[in-house]
Amino acid sequence: MGIAAEAHNVKILGSGTECIVLAHGFGTDQSLWKHFVPYLLDDYRVILYDNMGAGTTNPDYFDFERHSSLEGYASDLLAILEELYVESCIFVGHSVSAMIGVIASISRPDLFSKLVMVGASPRYLNDVDYYGGFEQEDLNQLFDAMASNYKAWCHGFAPLAVGGDMDSVAVQEFSRTLFNMRPDIALIVSQTIFQSDMRQILSLVTVPCHIIQAEKDMAVPVMISEYLHQHLGADSIVEVMATDGHLPQLSSPDTVIPVLLKHIHLDIETGR
């Protein structure tokens, strides 16, 4: 493997010819997809990787300048695809990785046959005529809590994000991957994500988009899925799942897996 693939802990699984890339969100790593991967192995070449800053990556590779914008992560993704000689892929991005996929697809639409976006948001901050779910004061308190006692913040944030109590396996799993991040890196990554605003580039997307959203998600209001549908430049389709939490792949895999498989196989243009 090349430098980018090694740095991002790339794993290639499965025996198919068509590529699927699975990308995780903040506080997790590629293990987020552990319930889903077995359903893909017979039909696809599955590419898993860790975003820089995840607890599984070498913190020495984290570039505080490059990774202070989502464009830096999109460049990482394109570098991985180039090293692996990927000519086209279905990209499944959770949370911030959905927007990373959007940026990458605008730069290189030829590399993406479709984007499957799970829990995606172009902006988390409320604005005039836009409800992102957070006020700046909310985010300032979140950042202050992370900076003052990261371990305590992890224990409080994990059940809120997952939508369960501390005894649930999904909450414990998210707590583990969240706590594995180096605190200073976690703070920078969270600031980069929560202060981002990708609304202005949505119209530039030309790759078909499948927008999948949990009915109840503390990080992304359900109405964001319709906002994306209305503002993306490409054909898009929305499905709202009867699930609770921002990581439904972990907390409700029995509900989420059939939805993901349906959208991976669905061609928006033909409706089949």
Side-chain angles (χ1 to χ4, degrees), residues 83-199:
E83 279 192 359
L84 299 179
Y85 301 102
V86 173
E87 296 181 356
S88 179
C89 71
I90 295 170
F91 181 82
V92 184
H94 172 244
S95 192
V96 66
S97 278
M99 287 300 115
I100 292 168
V102 160
I103 298 167
S105 78
I106 293 170
S107 175
R108 290 290 307 276
D110 56 302
L111 295 180
F112 301 89
S113 61
K114 72 169 66 172
L115 303 178
V116 180
M117 311 162 79
V118 185
S121 177
R123 177 183 165 106
Y124 296 88
L125 270 172
N126 299 330
D127 198 3
V128 178
D129 298 326
Y130 177 84
Y131 181 67
F134 295 89
E135 296 291 345
Q136 187 62 57
E137 182 57 31
D138 300 328
L139 297 183
N140 291 343
Q141 290 177 4
L142 182 148
F143 301 145
D144 288 345
M146 292 181 74
S148 63
N149 189 331
Y150 183 67
K151 184 175 183 179
W153 177 82
C154 290
H155 285 306
F157 183 73
L160 282 176
V162 175
D165 58 44
M166 282 303 296
D167 293 330
S168 81
V169 174
V171 170
Q172 290 177 5
E173 176 66 10
F174 184 48
S175 296
R176 179 187 68 80
T177 55
L178 198 60
F179 189 63
N180 278 346
M181 295 184 75
R182 206 173 81 183
D184 59 331
I185 290 176
L187 179 58
I188 290 292
V189 173
S190 66
Q191 289 171 335
T192 298
I193 294 169
F194 281 115
Q195 303 286 175
S196 65
D197 188 352
M198 296 291 114
R199 293 177 298 172

Side-chain angles (χ1 to χ4, degrees), residues 17-267:
T17 54
E18 187 173 10
C19 282
I20 287 186
V21 176
L22 303 179
H24 65 86
F26 170 69
T28 61
D29 55 41
Q30 62 188 262
S31 67
L32 174 75
W33 302 106
K34 63 183 180 182
H35 299 302
F36 183 45
V37 168
Y39 292 86
L40 303 174
L41 298 180
D42 290 341
D43 300 315
Y44 297 96
R45 179 188 183 209
V46 182
I47 298 172
L48 294 151
Y49 75 97
D50 296 328
N51 278 320
M52 197 51 62
T56 45
T57 60
N58 184 339
D60 291 341
Y61 288 134
F62 188 84
D63 186 323
F64 283 85
E65 183 176 349
R66 175 187 178 91
H67 297 111
S68 65
S69 75
L70 299 189
E71 286 78 9
Y73 294 93
S75 296
D76 290 346
L77 168 60
L78 292 174
I80 291 168
L81 297 180
E82 182 179 348
E83 279 192 359
L84 299 179
Y85 301 102
V86 173
E87 296 181 356
S88 179
C89 71
I90 295 170
F91 181 82
V92 184
H94 172 244
S95 192
V96 66
S97 278
M99 287 300 115
I100 292 168
V102 160
I103 298 167
S105 78
I106 293 170
S107 175
R108 290 290 307 276
D110 56 302
L111 295 180
F112 301 89
S113 61
K114 72 169 66 172
L115 303 178
V116 180
M117 311 162 79
V118 185
S121 177
R123 177 183 165 106
Y124 296 88
L125 270 172
N126 299 330
D127 198 3
V128 178
D129 298 326
Y130 177 84
Y131 181 67
F134 295 89
E135 296 291 345
Q136 187 62 57
E137 182 57 31
D138 300 328
L139 297 183
N140 291 343
Q141 290 177 4
L142 182 148
F143 301 145
D144 288 345
M146 292 181 74
S148 63
N149 189 331
Y150 183 67
K151 184 175 183 179
W153 177 82
C154 290
H155 285 306
F157 183 73
L160 282 176
V162 175
D165 58 44
M166 282 303 296
D167 293 330
S168 81
V169 174
V171 170
Q172 290 177 5
E173 176 66 10
F174 184 48
S175 296
R176 179 187 68 80
T177 55
L178 198 60
F179 189 63
N180 278 346
M181 295 184 75
R182 206 173 81 183
D184 59 331
I185 290 176
L187 179 58
I188 290 292
V189 173
S190 66
Q191 289 171 335
T192 298
I193 294 169
F194 281 115
Q195 303 286 175
S196 65
D197 188 352
M198 296 291 114
R199 293 177 298 172
Q200 69 279 6
I201 68 169
L202 296 178
S203 63
L204 303 177
V205 178
T206 58
V207 174
C209 295
H210 297 246
I211 304 157
I212 300 172
Q213 174 67 39
E215 192 172 38
K216 297 179 181 178
D217 182 339
M218 62 78 69
V220 183
V222 69
M223 65 185 67
I224 292 294
S225 59
E226 186 59 29
Y227 180 91
L228 288 168
H229 182 51
Q230 295 296 331
H231 290 83
L232 282 161
D235 290 335
S236 63
I237 188 171
V238 174
E239 180 156 355
V240 177
M241 303 177 294
T243 56
D244 187 359
H246 190 57
L247 296 93
Q249 312 93 306
L250 283 181
S251 58
S252 306
D254 292 344
T255 300
V256 175
I257 288 169
V259 173
L260 287 172
L261 290 173
K262 177 176 74 174
H263 285 275
I264 282 170
H265 296 129
L266 177 65
D267 185 337

